[in-house]
Amino acid sequence: MWRSCHRLRDGGRRLLNRPVGGPSASKSPGPTISSPARAYAPPTERKRFYQNVSITQGEGGFEINLDHRKLKTPQAKLFTVPSEALAIAVATEWDSQQDTIKYYTMHLTTLCNTSLDNPTQRNKDQLIRAAVKFLDTDTVCYRVEEPETLVELQRNEWDPIIEWAEKRYGVEINSSTSIMGPSIPAKTREVLVSHLASYNTWALQGIEFVAAQLKSMVLTLGLIDLRLTVEQAVLLSRLEEEYQIQKWGNIEWAHDYELQELRARTAAGTLFIHLCSESSTVKHKLLKE
């Protein structure tokens, strides 16, 4: 399934020496929609003010200590996370900062802040609806009518993941070449709403974050269920961009930076989902036993 995708990446690099320009390949008819910000926009940088990072377990969960100071959220709440594994991951983000703290690289910290402060004041049902709404503009559901090479590429690379999702969840997910987008059956929405309801609010924040990065709920589900790797999901979400890069070339440093940033955000969001789901899953299993 991934051969043509990897040929795109390799072909794009071989074409980097060609002049950039020429007519663009046909874009998919899906509207360009900017998702509203759901997480804090952290400050850019500041000088590192601590030497050591540690974690401690408190009454509300696990806390992060910067020397002898307890980490706080932007709303001055105690930074407390539900699992030790997530605390270790966040502490690693802070410990890996050098002389300058680069907040824009600390995606796990930002997601935790969003979950703790809930700046948009949304409840669990609202988070679920926001995630499911990505189906209406899902990247893999919008198709082009030409050129034929791109039509075939989308069919070969996107159809298998849609078919997997349909079989995995027992739903119907349609694709469309219309500007109005695909028709998503009400039953499909109901099934996915029920599935997402099994996640806690922290994990749902992560699910929405990943869906916003990939512009796809289908690809996000593939990541959560380990059907896709982060690299595969990102490549599928950028299928048209990679096609055009192969055809016309690109500005190497800009493309590579954008690609690495997208991978980093998607990887962090996926890790966040699993780490936030872990504690509740373990607790549930222990209670059953």
Side-chain angles (χ1 to χ4, degrees):
M1 174 180 176
W2 308 109
R3 290 179 181 175
S4 52
C5 277
H6 288 300
R7 283 201 298 269
L8 280 176
R9 293 288 294 119
D10 296 338
R13 291 189 179 279
R14 288 197 299 271
L15 288 169
L16 291 177
N17 293 327
R18 291 178 51 178
V20 178
S24 299
S26 298
K27 296 288 285 183
S28 66
T32 301
I33 298 177
S34 298
S35 300
R38 300 302 189 191
Y40 283 117
T44 307
E45 295 181 359
R46 67 170 294 184
K47 185 176 180 180
R48 178 165 172 161
F49 57 88
Y50 55 90
Q51 294 294 323
N52 301 305
V53 183
S54 62
I55 63 173
T56 54
Q57 186 171 10
E59 293 183 3
F62 293 86
E63 304 164 2
I64 311 297
N65 306 303
L66 306 179
D67 292 333
H68 301 296
R69 307 174 185 175
K70 292 189 179 296
L71 186 61
K72 300 291 184 67
T73 71
Q75 291 185 11
K77 296 178 181 177
L78 182 63
F79 190 101
T80 306
V81 299
S83 74
E84 184 176 14
L86 179 57
I88 292 172
V90 171
T92 300
E93 278 191 334
W94 285 89
D95 195 44
S96 64
Q97 303 301 305
Q98 302 301 314
D99 294 336
T100 301
I101 305 172
K102 299 180 179 180
Y103 291 99
Y104 51 85
T105 67
M106 303 169 72
H107 306 301
L108 292 174
T109 298
T110 301
L111 282 166
C112 289
N113 282 331
T114 302
S115 297
L116 288 165
D117 285 348
N118 191 14
T120 54
Q121 296 300 302
R122 292 181 299 167
N123 59 32
K124 183 173 182 177
D125 289 340
Q126 290 172 317
L127 288 170
I128 291 172
R129 288 199 298 271
V132 173
K133 190 171 179 58
F134 278 96
L135 280 175
D136 295 329
T137 56
D138 201 295
T139 294
V140 301
C141 294
Y142 278 95
R143 305 299 175 89
V144 299
E145 295 181 308
E146 58 178 354
E148 183 57 35
T149 51
L150 182 53
V151 172
E152 182 180 2
L153 182 65
Q154 290 180 337
R155 181 170 58 247
N156 292 341
E157 302 298 340
W158 285 348
D159 281 2
I161 191 62
I162 289 180
E163 291 168 3
W164 165 82
E166 290 179 327
K167 182 178 180 180
R168 164 69 175 82
Y169 297 101
V171 298
E172 179 184 351
I173 301 173
N174 302 313
S175 60
S176 174
T177 58
S178 168
I179 188 67
M180 301 304 294
S183 174
I184 305 297
K187 179 64 175 178
T188 297
R189 297 180 190 277
E190 291 173 7
V191 169
L192 293 182
V193 165
S194 177
H195 172 69
L196 292 178
S198 66
Y199 290 90
N200 59 46
T201 55
W202 282 60
L204 288 170
Q205 291 278 8
I207 289 171
E208 186 188 11
F209 177 79
V210 173
Q213 306 311 308
L214 300 175
K215 298 179 176 60
S216 172
M217 190 62 203
V218 175
L219 295 178
T220 300
L221 291 171
L223 268 178
I224 296 172
D225 278 3
L226 307 180
R227 171 62 176 77
L228 299 172
T229 65
V230 168
E231 184 175 21
Q232 289 169 343
V234 168
L235 194 54
L236 286 175
S237 76
R238 291 173 49 86
L239 200 62
E240 289 185 54
E241 288 92 335
E242 297 296 338
Y243 174 87
Q244 293 190 45
I245 288 168
Q246 181 189 19
K247 191 173 181 65
W248 306 113
N250 72 307
I251 301 174
E252 184 173 9
W253 68 267
H255 169 262
D256 288 348
Y257 177 80
E258 178 184 341
L259 181 62
Q260 294 303 323
E261 276 293 295
L262 181 55
R263 284 178 179 168
R265 291 192 298 270
T266 303
T270 305
L271 177 61
F272 182 81
I273 295 166
H274 286 291
L275 294 181
C276 290
S277 303
E278 185 178 77
S279 61
S280 59
T281 302
V282 171
K283 181 179 180 180
H284 178 64
K285 288 181 178 179
L286 290 175
L287 288 175
K288 287 185 68 176
E289 292 173 356

